[in-house]
Amino acid sequence: MLQSQARAAVPTARQHSRHVPSVQQQMQAQARTRFSGSSKLYLAGGSRLQTAVQQATQRSSKQQVAARAPARMCGIIGVFKHEGEANVEIYEGLLMLQHRGQDSAGMVSTNGRKFYEHKANGLVKDVFSQQTLLDSLKGSVGIGHVRYPTAGSASAQEAQPFFVNSPLGIYMIHNGNLTNCDQLRQLLNSSTSFFNRHLRTDSDSEVLLNVLADEIHRAHQRCLLEDKCDPNRKKMDMVFEAGEATMQLLQGAYSCISLIHGVGLVAFRDPHGIRPLVLGRRQGRRGEEWCVASEDCAFGPIGFERVRDVAPGEMIIIDDDGRLHSRQVAQCETLTPCIFEYIYLARPDSVLNDVPVYNFQLGLGTRLARRIQERGWDVDLVCPVPDGSRPAAIQISAELGLPYREGLVKNRYVGRTFIMPDQRLREMSVRRKLNAMPVVFAGKNVLLIDDSIVRGTTMSQIVDMVRKAGAAKVYLASASPPVRYPNVYGVDMPTRSEFVAHGLTEDEICETLGADGLIYQDVSDLIACGQDLNPAITRFDDSCFTGKYVTGDVNEAYLRNLEEQGRGKRRARPGRKTSLFGNNLQPSTPDAIDSGAGRLPASTSA
């Protein structure tokens, strides 16, 4: 009922077509107004520049990929209010999104005249620890960002938001990863760009911001020189036009929120809908107020209600008067959200693309239980690896009629191992983080449930801990299939050689982890869990399990170059585990970033 009312109140792309030209109509109109001569390329925008980017891509495919900042999982939020400061709502929303990044946090707000910014490395509560600092972020509109660390990205300069002062003044935050970032960087640094733009960081988010800024410049010039219009009265149209051209240039995954001076709060999502972006609304004293965030779990504490997901290829602008404008600026062929969001990244109290994350994880448990029954293992109890595997483990326990026990106690004052940038720190942190209880495990055949097994070293240490706690046998069940391929759309697992499943059979993986038995979720069952909850989703991005990349531009050469020259070259290769006391242990399996042991509590945000 709420969603139908919201769609009636908020014009979708289809409803907006009554008073906004279609993408095809706009492209045809632009084509009719192209200049001839040297100025043609500068003003052309998407179609001509897309050709330039494709040519750059073809040239660079024969070369090595330039080293650049790794992709990173992030959390983003934007808030519009009619009155009062937005900083508290943004702060609370970032706390609810803290699970998506613990390396840095940033916020920018505006009162319509001036921007107020602060960002630094650290947790949200530490970056904004002083009330006077939070109070200095004035204005009723603002955006906030959290980021998790990866190799080579610890600098506070990489923290978001990013800013360009021309045109208009634009701040941007971004969740995802561009797969043609190097070609776009070449474009921005060449004469093909409207301005030869200097980039201060290796971040693809800064590249994305400058591509959008470049396209707004083009739209501004077309307004002045071709249409003879007043750009000050066409700012919103120019941003929509630039959004269309930008999406023609970009490849990869991106959910973005921007503050554009004189325009408003802007949000847009890539045409595949790989990364999530959700719209919320509440009724204020002076009218409707809006929130856009990576997950709708951010809405509850600040009084917003979920309206809908931002559609793939849609751009939303909330103007300075609080009116919401929507335009479909890129054609969405098929919604293909990243399925790893539901397995690991998102909080269980979120709903993404009309799929409740908690129900999805329960479904994983139901389907995995059937496969476990076929093995005929003699099991005494089911134990989750905290925290992300709890829903699946609870369901498996119920389906198999086995006791559910919390035998691994988590120290909640140690950071996530998944997001630690250094392999040695990750390995040392595992035994600080988890403690196995002999009173639960002694003499028992234990079935450990994890949401995913990525690199394997963390899991092998957990198996060892459970055995030392007295377990007779240790069986493993992963709620997701084996991870065999890089996720290039914004999750930091870039190299195939890092994965414990790389080149190994299930029996060989089991031996590597030191378990008595191992079972993985089937890919078809994984997809069915999502489609049962939202049949409208005909395809998920499951590339880290299948090697099939939805954007169509990721091939073997791209992956090999990424491993050799890009993010992968900074990776520690398989080495030796590290003791808290400085003693080297046995050689380790590939780098340890198992999901469950490093996961934040599902019920908390930090």
Side-chain angles (χ1 to χ4, degrees), residues 92-405:
E92 294 292 337
L94 288 178
L95 288 177
M96 296 299 289
L97 298 173
Q98 186 77 85
H99 62 287
R100 299 187 71 89
Q102 293 180 308
D103 177 43
S104 68
M107 186 189 308
V108 62
S109 60
T110 180
N111 57 10
R113 300 180 302 276
K114 184 178 179 181
F115 289 116
Y116 301 88
E117 175 193 3
H118 180 69
K119 60 182 182 179
N121 284 348
L123 299 174
V124 174
K125 66 180 181 64
D126 297 324
V127 171
F128 302 102
S129 59
Q130 300 177 14
Q131 186 64 42
T132 54
L133 175 60
L134 196 60
D135 291 341
S136 69
L137 298 169
K138 301 180 183 299
S140 59
V141 187
I143 58 178
H145 183 274
V146 289
R147 182 193 64 170
Y148 87 87
T150 53
S153 66
S155 170
Q157 191 177 30
E158 300 275 339
Q160 297 186 40
F162 284 110
F163 175 71
V164 291
N165 69 340
S166 178
L168 302 175
I170 308 171
Y171 272 96
M172 177 179 285
I173 51 179
H174 163 225
N175 175 32
N177 182 53
L178 300 181
T179 53
N180 66 337
C181 181
D182 298 308
Q183 292 76 44
L184 293 170
R185 189 181 299 276
Q186 292 175 24
L187 175 72
L188 292 169
N189 288 330
S190 72
S191 59
T192 309
S193 171
F194 196 89
F195 293 112
N196 192 304
R197 292 179 173 271
H198 175 73
L199 303 178
R200 299 176 63 239
T201 72
D202 291 329
S203 171
D204 64 333
S205 302
E206 188 186 16
V207 170
L208 198 160
L209 168 60
N210 278 271
V211 170
L212 177 64
D214 211 51
E215 291 302 332
I216 294 176
H217 268 299
R218 295 175 197 280
H220 179 273
Q221 292 301 302
R222 283 192 294 270
C223 176
L224 278 176
L225 302 178
E226 298 179 6
D227 301 334
K228 308 300 183 183
C229 67
D230 180 0
N232 289 324
R233 303 182 66 178
K234 294 286 186 179
K235 289 180 181 178
M236 185 177 298
D237 288 335
M238 289 191 303
V239 172
F240 275 130
E241 187 178 333
E244 176 192 333
T246 296
M247 288 197 189
Q248 292 180 39
L249 295 171
L250 304 180
Q251 289 287 341
Y254 49 92
S255 287
C256 302
I257 308 176
S258 289
L259 280 181
I260 303 181
H261 181 69
V263 177
L265 183 69
V266 181
F268 58 96
R269 190 179 181 196
D270 72 76
H272 299 278
I274 298 172
R275 290 281 153 246
L277 197 60
V278 190
L279 177 67
R281 178 182 58 191
R282 73 182 182 192
Q283 190 63 38
R285 190 175 64 87
R286 293 175 50 192
E288 290 180 325
E289 300 180 333
W290 303 96
C291 183
V292 186
S294 296
E295 299 180 37
D296 59 1
C297 66
F299 294 162
I302 54 179
F304 287 87
E305 293 185 349
R306 174 189 171 87
V307 175
R308 62 181 176 89
D309 298 279
V310 176
E314 179 185 17
M315 176 175 276
I316 287 173
I317 298 178
I318 301 165
D319 66 26
D320 293 339
D321 295 319
R323 292 187 296 264
L324 188 146
H325 308 262
S326 168
R327 187 179 297 184
Q328 192 73 28
V329 297
Q331 184 64 39
C332 171
E333 297 182 2
T334 304
L335 170 64
T336 52
C338 174
I339 204 159
F340 209 65
E341 287 278 353
Y342 302 93
I343 299 167
Y344 175 78
L345 303 181
R347 281 175 51 130
D349 52 342
S350 290
V351 177
L352 306 179
N353 305 293
D354 294 322
V355 175
V357 175
Y358 185 74
N359 290 356
F360 179 91
Q361 294 174 353
L362 290 178
L364 293 180
T366 298
R367 292 176 180 272
L368 187 56
R370 298 170 190 166
R371 294 174 57 81
I372 294 171
Q373 281 180 319
E374 296 172 358
R375 294 293 176 94
W377 291 338
D378 179 19
V379 175
D380 296 315
L381 61 90
V382 175
C383 175
V385 176
D387 286 296
S389 62
R390 280 199 177 99
I394 290 170
Q395 194 66 15
I396 290 171
S397 170
E399 295 283 343
L400 299 181
L402 292 171
Y404 172 87
R405 296 290 182 266

Side-chain angles (χ1 to χ4, degrees), residues 387-574:
D387 286 296
S389 62
R390 280 199 177 99
I394 290 170
Q395 194 66 15
I396 290 171
S397 170
E399 295 283 343
L400 299 181
L402 292 171
Y404 172 87
R405 296 290 182 266
E406 296 268 357
L408 294 170
V409 179
K410 185 173 181 178
N411 181 349
R412 305 191 184 281
Y413 303 97
V414 178
R416 289 173 91 189
T417 58
F418 180 91
I419 61 176
M420 287 185 175
D422 181 80
Q423 171 62 14
R424 180 174 176 271
L425 293 177
R426 284 195 292 265
E427 294 182 350
M428 291 175 62
S429 179
V430 173
R431 295 180 185 271
R432 292 197 206 112
K433 179 177 289 293
L434 293 175
N435 194 30
M437 298 171 60
V439 69
V440 173
F441 294 131
K444 303 293 185 181
N445 294 339
V446 178
L447 175 59
L448 290 178
I449 311 296
D450 204 356
D451 51 16
S452 57
I453 302 173
V454 182
R455 291 171 173 89
T457 306
T458 303
M459 179 53 71
S460 65
Q461 292 186 56
I462 292 171
V463 171
D464 183 60
M465 283 192 290
V466 173
R467 288 199 189 281
K468 289 180 179 178
K473 290 188 176 181
V474 181
Y475 299 100
L476 300 179
S478 170
S480 67
V483 177
R484 300 184 185 276
Y485 302 92
N487 185 311
V488 301
Y489 299 130
V491 182
D492 182 38
M493 43 169 150
T495 63
R496 287 164 287 188
S497 60
E498 293 180 273
F499 306 133
V500 67
H502 176 65
L504 299 181
T505 66
E506 193 170 290
D507 288 340
E508 290 170 334
I509 299 169
C510 182
E511 182 179 356
T512 299
L513 298 177
D516 295 291
L518 170 65
I519 190 168
Y520 283 101
Q521 186 78 261
D522 185 75
V523 174
S524 61
D525 284 341
L526 179 73
I527 301 301
C529 285
Q531 293 177 337
D532 286 349
L533 295 168
N534 184 0
I537 301 178
T538 59
R539 182 184 179 187
F540 286 88
D541 170 56
D542 56 6
S543 54
C544 56
F545 308 119
T546 65
K548 299 175 182 178
Y549 295 91
V550 300
T551 54
D553 63 329
V554 179
N555 54 28
E556 176 61 28
Y558 178 94
L559 297 178
R560 185 171 59 252
N561 289 339
L562 189 67
E563 293 172 354
E564 295 175 356
Q565 300 293 327
R567 296 182 297 176
K569 75 174 184 178
R570 300 184 180 96
R571 295 295 186 182
R573 315 319 296 171

